[in-house]
Amino acid sequence: MSKLVLKFGGTSVADVDCIRKAAQIIVNTASEGHEVLAVVSAMGDTTDRLISLAKKVTPSPSARELDMLLTTGEQQSVALMTMAIQEFGGQARGFTGGQAGIITENRHGSAKIEEIRSASLEASMSRGEIPVVAGFQGMSNNQELTTLGRGGSDTTAVAVATTLGADRCDIYTDVNGVYTTDPRMVSRASKLKSISYEEMFEMANTGAKVINSRAVSLAKDSQMPVRIRSTFWPEDEGTLITDLINTPDYTISGITHDLNQVWFNWQMVINNDQANKLDNVASLFVRLNELNICTDMVMLLAREDEPVQELVFTVENDSAARVQSVIESYADSKESKLLIDDKLARISVISRRLNGKPEIVASVFDALNRANIPVNMVATGDLRFSLLIPKTHAENAVTLIHEHFSLSNPERN
């Protein structure tokens, strides 16, 4: 008998029919002799709707009270899913994050799980019940309700699976696996049978929406196998995320895109107080870290022909207003200039050992150049390289690069 954690995302519990379908999968899995625990997200766009509701009351809702509000979304799903399982003849018990023993740091909106006190879940399973746990939420040691940030239900599922010593964590969503690129953009995208933790982390971190990057990182650390599956095609085994690398060394794993990037260019005049300029840069990144804002494609440039230093980086669109506010608090309007562009897309190519494959990067530049697609900025690493291009060229660029590397061939997988 294996122990499985099954997680169902918002599209998988979007309405009553979806909940019943997911409940049937849970009951069927348990009837095959497996010990099963389910983790559920809020229904459909419930989280967005609740945020919108809060902002109708106040444009700046308290982080604490917003968490209080948002956690109700998953609790609705827990209650309805538990009822549905019971209706199909299964024994089930619902748990909020706090009742499940999910203890987080005392941070609202993006808390990290510190530990899971699993006694209540283990007791439920020992009674033959299927625990249904609210994803995305937990409770701090001082009894505060907290949320884990966007995609946090994936993290809940992997963390619970790790704590319980599960054999695998299955993430059920509206697609039947991980594809070489977004199949809604490129219809000839191929489904991957398996992908390594490292490659999946890069894909999740650069635009792939099938699983949260924090969950992938946790799975890698705990060596927890994760399978991406579809609630609507449960017979499909989907894509296995594991530590094994089954593809040839030069194979491109996939192409991702992110249309929600905002580009910042902070230009500072360097004079006798150059050290202070560098202090401002250091202070900026310390403050962004405190705000839990991630930056990408960072470059610090100095011009030879004039005393100007440029700090260039990108952030997610949701963080742009806060980043602008922080920079302006440091900037001297007489000696600095801030440029912002939100009409750019980040396109990323995911592979392995890219630092030793200059021909791959060169061939992409050549293909884009021949298609007259401008590149505003590029950043390279060992597992991926990313290009910043105008949004209007995003779909064409993804399709072009995907076909350039013949990723539509199913035999490669």
Side-chain angles (χ1 to χ4, degrees):
M1 178 190 297
S2 60
K3 185 179 293 183
L4 301 175
V5 170
L6 312 183
K7 181 263 177 177
F8 294 87
T11 55
S12 297
V13 293
D15 54 36
V16 170
D17 288 340
C18 289
I19 289 173
R20 288 175 61 85
K21 189 171 187 63
Q24 189 68 71
I25 292 172
I26 295 168
V27 171
N28 289 347
T29 303
S31 69
E32 294 170 357
H34 303 292
E35 286 187 275
V36 176
L37 179 144
V39 174
V40 294
S41 299
M43 298 172 65
D45 62 353
T46 296
T47 300
D48 290 334
R49 181 174 54 80
L50 290 174
I51 292 173
S52 177
L53 188 62
K55 290 189 175 180
K56 288 180 181 178
V57 174
T58 170
S60 302
S62 157
R64 180 185 184 276
E65 305 312 322
L66 189 59
D67 273 3
M68 182 79 74
L69 176 65
L70 296 185
T71 53
T72 64
E74 279 70 26
Q75 290 171 33
Q76 290 178 10
S77 297
V78 164
L80 293 172
M81 183 66 76
T82 303
M83 294 174 192
I85 292 171
Q86 292 168 346
E87 179 66 16
F88 285 124
Q91 298 181 60
R93 180 180 294 269
F95 294 83
T96 66
Q99 289 172 331
I102 299 172
I103 308 301
T104 75
E105 62 181 341
N106 192 28
R107 180 200 290 263
H108 292 291
S110 58
K112 294 180 181 179
I113 297 174
E114 293 185 338
E115 64 173 314
I116 298 180
R117 300 167 186 169
S118 59
S120 59
L121 298 179
E122 292 173 351
S124 176
M125 296 180 81
S126 70
R127 294 191 297 266
E129 297 172 345
I130 298 171
V132 181
V133 178
F136 179 65
Q137 62 178 257
M139 182 172 288
S140 67
N141 274 313
N142 58 353
Q143 304 297 300
E144 290 287 332
L145 286 172
T146 57
T147 61
L148 310 182
R150 288 289 187 177
S153 292
D154 293 340
T155 306
T156 300
V158 174
V160 169
T162 298
T163 300
L164 295 179
D167 295 273
R168 194 178 70 238
C169 179
D170 287 356
I171 305 290
Y172 281 87
T173 181
D174 58 349
V175 294
N176 60 339
V178 180
Y179 280 74
T180 48
T181 196
D182 188 343
R184 293 167 297 186
M185 179 175 281
V186 180
S187 60
R188 285 165 50 80
S190 299
K191 189 182 73 173
L192 302 170
K193 291 181 180 178
S194 65
I195 188 171
S196 68
Y197 294 121
E198 292 85 357
E199 292 162 303
M200 189 67 248
F201 177 83
E202 292 295 341
M203 290 186 74
N205 219 28
T206 56
K209 304 298 184 185
V210 291
I211 186 172
N212 178 266
S213 61
R214 190 186 293 184
V216 179
S217 181
L218 179 58
K220 179 182 183 300
D221 290 344
S222 60
Q223 292 293 287
M224 174 59 60
V226 176
R227 192 176 286 280
I228 306 297
R229 310 184 72 166
S230 170
T231 308
F232 310 104
W233 296 279
E235 65 283 354
D236 194 315
E237 292 188 352
T239 300
L240 181 66
I241 306 172
T242 179
D243 60 342
L244 300 177
I245 297 175
N246 298 319
T247 52
D249 182 54
Y250 267 68
T251 297
I252 304 297
S253 304
I255 315 297
T256 60
H257 70 281
D258 188 342
L259 304 181
N260 295 309
Q261 292 288 303
V262 178
W263 175 86
F264 283 84
N265 182 323
W266 182 15
Q267 300 177 7
M268 296 162 276
V269 175
I270 301 174
N271 49 36
N272 295 332
D273 198 17
Q274 180 175 0
N276 185 55
K277 303 300 181 186
L278 295 175
D279 285 346
N280 282 348
V281 172
S283 298
L284 170 65
F285 283 103
V286 169
R287 182 57 182 149
L288 295 184
N289 179 63
E290 292 172 349
L291 295 172
N292 203 36
I293 295 174
C294 295
T295 58
D296 191 43
M297 302 185 74
V298 181
M299 294 184 183
L300 185 61
L301 308 170
R303 299 182 186 175
E304 294 183 0
D305 56 339
E306 54 184 301
V308 175
Q309 176 178 275
E310 294 183 57
L311 175 64
V312 184
F313 61 91
T314 60
V315 298
E316 293 288 334
N317 185 60
D318 289 347
S319 303
R322 287 183 293 163
V323 172
Q324 181 176 352
S325 177
V326 172
I327 291 177
E328 289 175 346
S329 71
Y330 289 115
D332 182 336
S333 60
K334 296 180 180 179
E335 295 190 333
S336 69
K337 182 179 181 181
L338 180 61
L339 304 176
I340 303 172
D341 192 341
D342 62 357
K343 297 180 175 59
L344 299 170
R346 180 182 63 194
I347 310 299
S348 300
V349 177
I350 315 300
S351 184
R352 289 184 300 282
R353 303 187 183 95
L354 278 169
N355 287 333
K357 305 172 187 173
E359 66 277 14
I360 290 181
V361 179
S363 69
V364 170
F365 271 97
D366 182 56
L368 294 178
N369 181 58
R370 284 187 280 107
N372 295 316
I373 297 176
V375 176
N376 296 61
M377 188 176 177
V378 62
T380 63
D382 194 43
L383 285 167
R384 59 119 165 168
F385 71 92
S386 297
L387 309 105
L388 213 58
I389 67 172
K391 276 185 183 179
T392 52
H393 292 284
E395 184 170 348
N396 188 24
V398 170
T399 303
L400 183 67
I401 298 171
H402 192 270
E403 294 305 312
H404 175 72
F405 289 113
S406 302
L407 302 187
S408 298
N409 180 7
E411 295 303 318
R412 67 184 292 277
N413 302 314

